[in-house]
Amino acid sequence: MSFDRTLEDIAAQAWAVMEEIGRLTGTKEEGITRPCYGEGEQIAAEKVTDFARSLGLELEPDRFGNLHGVVPGADPSAKAIMTGSHLDSVPGGGNYDGLAGVMASLATAAAALRDGGNRRSIRAVAMRGEESPWFGTAYVGSRMMLGHSTLADLGGLPRFDTGRPLQEHLDELSYASAPVMPISRETVAGFFELHIEQGPLLTAKNLPVGVATDIRGNTRYPEARCLGEYGHSAALPRAYRHDAVLAVAELALEFERFWEEAERHDPSCVFTMGKFGTDPSTHAMTKVPGEVRFSFNVGSIREEVIAQADALLSRLLDSITQRRGVRFEMGPRFGSLPSRLDPALIAMVEESAKAIGHDALRLATVGHDAAMFHQAGIPASVMLVRNANGSHNPRESMAEADFVLGARVLGGAVMLAASG
Ligand SMILES: [Zn+2]
């Protein structure tokens, strides 16, 4: 049987296992919850280990709980090709963000084990804790696996729901004696990640698969506050007010204008204030609002657009503070630089899609584990599979046929890289 036929068969089995993991770790209405180093993520880890074993592929954990399955290549001195994604989900998320990439990578490795003939070894990896809500930072598993952070750096971070430190949650899973795997630019020639698309573009264009050209960078303030002064809504003339809602609204609308302007030369630019609220314990219809808590998030694939956003933010904070007599406490800033994904790997994804009769749409994407590989100097690629309803919500959708097709495109690209 050809590699592609074998992969098609195994991907259909992988789909069934993925649906089972979805049933075990959530409900359709409330969504899927697989906490980093928590119960749902561990259920997924055990299920994928059993599934891989049934296909002859042994998964081995590393010190950080990431699971690795290796298909040896004909040339043991050649660098490996890696593929994978993450097992966790956001609280109340969908089943496919992360897990689809894990299943497709395991299907790829299992098919290579049967019908491969690959020169380089292929390493499939199921990673931990990519989503930031659990410990307030993203990419926990890949970050430590690639040496960007150590367990000493992250071990003390409390999980938002249990309050217990990361180290305690990890220790419960007994990976203390597992090895730190040598994953670096010295040992890995390329990393491919399949991921559900988190926007609507593939559905809108009626295309099943895409390939990312860039990962957006961003400038983010998750816990900002604007402090004004509470007052009587009827008694206080405008000139005496220090209205926190109007102050933050001005900031929001100014940034919408910045976004409209930026979009003309940078369609990847995005601006969001996902959190924006007065305090229910002190607010009232008849009070001038004295405090607003909000988040601020600008993303782009262009470094200069992020720098312009930072500069505009600091100008606006000054001028709004002066004119409106309010005070901003922006809290910690988290930022990341944009990553340009590897052109040779993009070409391999496109060639693989073409070989089975599809054009992969080129588009920008958001942060994924692939960004950690890229930052470690390993060529990285993200391919995207159509999804109508966005991600990080229970309505995430993926058709089985699209998943199988995506796995075939991923597998084809991995084989091209592993033979080169
Ligand atoms: Zn994801």
Side-chain angles (χ1 to χ4, degrees):
M1 213 192 280
S2 71
F3 170 81
D4 181 56
R5 254 336 302 282
T6 304
L7 177 52
E8 195 173 1
D9 280 357
I10 297 176
Q13 297 171 45
W15 172 266
V17 174
M18 178 157 65
E19 293 296 272
E20 188 194 354
I21 294 172
R23 283 191 295 276
L24 293 170
T25 56
T27 63
K28 275 247 166 354
E29 306 74 50
E30 312 257 311
I32 303 297
T33 299
R34 297 193 279 263
C36 176
Y37 300 136
E39 192 190 357
E41 191 192 59
Q42 193 59 14
I43 289 171
E46 284 163 14
K47 284 286 163 196
V48 302
T49 301
D50 292 348
F51 173 61
R53 184 170 299 140
S54 76
L55 297 165
L57 185 69
E58 283 301 324
L59 296 189
E60 198 190 334
D62 67 21
R63 176 71 190 87
F64 315 110
N66 306 301
L67 306 170
H68 301 247
V70 179
V71 182
D75 177 359
S77 66
K79 293 184 191 181
I81 297 299
M82 274 184 90
T83 177
S85 192
H86 60 98
L87 290 167
D88 65 316
S89 74
V90 296
N95 194 34
Y96 307 112
D97 183 333
L99 189 57
V102 170
M103 301 314 292
S105 70
L106 293 177
T108 292
L113 197 60
R114 271 187 219 167
D115 291 309
N118 36 300
R119 181 175 83 84
R120 300 176 183 276
S121 64
I122 295 169
R123 179 183 286 259
V125 63
M127 290 173 280
R128 301 285 190 151
E130 188 267 350
E131 304 288 2
S132 61
W134 302 109
F135 292 103
T137 184
Y139 319 123
V140 165
S142 56
R143 186 188 291 274
M144 292 194 286
M145 177 178 79
L146 287 153
H148 298 299
S149 300
T150 64
L151 208 41
D153 297 332
L154 305 186
L157 295 175
R159 208 174 87 184
F160 88 98
D161 54 345
T162 62
R164 293 171 58 212
L166 183 149
Q167 181 78 56
E168 266 183 39
H169 283 283
L170 176 58
D171 286 347
E172 269 174 11
L173 303 177
S174 317
Y175 295 122
S177 58
V180 174
M181 304 272 185
I183 309 295
S184 72
R185 58 196 291 185
E186 317 306 327
T187 58
V188 179
F191 173 74
F192 291 88
E193 179 167 7
L194 175 146
H195 204 279
I196 191 166
E197 193 203 357
Q198 286 157 300
L201 293 179
L202 291 171
T203 300
K205 295 194 185 289
N206 199 23
L207 292 170
V209 292
V211 61
T213 51
D214 303 80
I215 294 179
R216 282 188 187 81
N218 54 58
T219 176
R220 290 176 165 176
Y221 294 85
E223 303 289 346
R225 289 207 301 167
C226 175
L227 299 161
E229 234 171 66
Y230 288 102
H232 192 291
S233 71
L236 204 57
R238 197 168 64 83
Y240 293 87
R241 293 191 181 202
H242 306 288
D243 185 321
V245 163
L246 292 180
V248 185
E250 181 181 345
L251 185 68
L253 292 174
E254 286 294 336
F255 263 93
E256 190 186 30
R257 266 190 282 283
F258 166 82
W259 184 14
E260 282 167 7
E261 191 61 36
E263 244 178 354
R264 290 192 210 165
H265 53 96
D266 175 15
S268 79
C269 183
V270 287
F271 162 63
T272 313
M273 280 188 178
K275 301 198 280 187
F276 191 125
T278 50
D279 180 352
S281 67
T282 48
H283 71 186
M285 188 187 76
T286 52
K287 280 164 90 173
V288 174
E291 178 179 351
V292 169
R293 289 176 183 262
F294 64 100
S295 61
F296 175 91
N297 182 356
V298 173
S300 168
I301 65 170
R302 293 169 64 157
E303 221 173 310
E304 73 273 16
V305 170
I306 294 171
Q308 285 159 9
D310 279 327
L312 176 63
L313 179 64
S314 98
R315 284 201 304 279
L316 283 172
L317 293 183
D318 281 352
S319 79
I320 296 172
T321 299
Q322 277 180 19
R323 275 183 291 107
R324 295 183 179 272
V326 295
R327 190 155 56 83
F328 284 93
E329 290 178 358
M330 292 301 285
R333 174 187 183 275
F334 294 93
S336 66
L337 292 175
S339 308
R340 162 96 0 128
L341 294 165
D342 188 75
L345 269 55
I346 291 172
M348 288 177 199
V349 172
E350 288 176 332
E351 186 181 335
S352 171
K354 265 245 149 33
I356 52 175
H358 290 273
D359 284 323
L361 180 71
R362 289 187 167 215
L363 67 182
T365 187
V366 302
H368 299 294
D369 288 303
M372 293 293 100
F373 285 81
H374 173 84
Q375 281 174 32
I378 298 170
S381 172
V382 177
M383 56 159 295
L384 299 154
V385 177
R386 169 164 61 186
N387 156 35
N389 303 322
S391 91
H392 292 181
N393 75 68
R395 292 169 59 243
E396 247 179 38
S397 73
M398 185 183 260
E400 179 177 351
D402 285 353
F403 169 73
V404 171
L405 179 68
R408 291 166 68 200
V409 174
L410 176 76
V414 166
M415 293 308 283
L416 285 169
S419 64

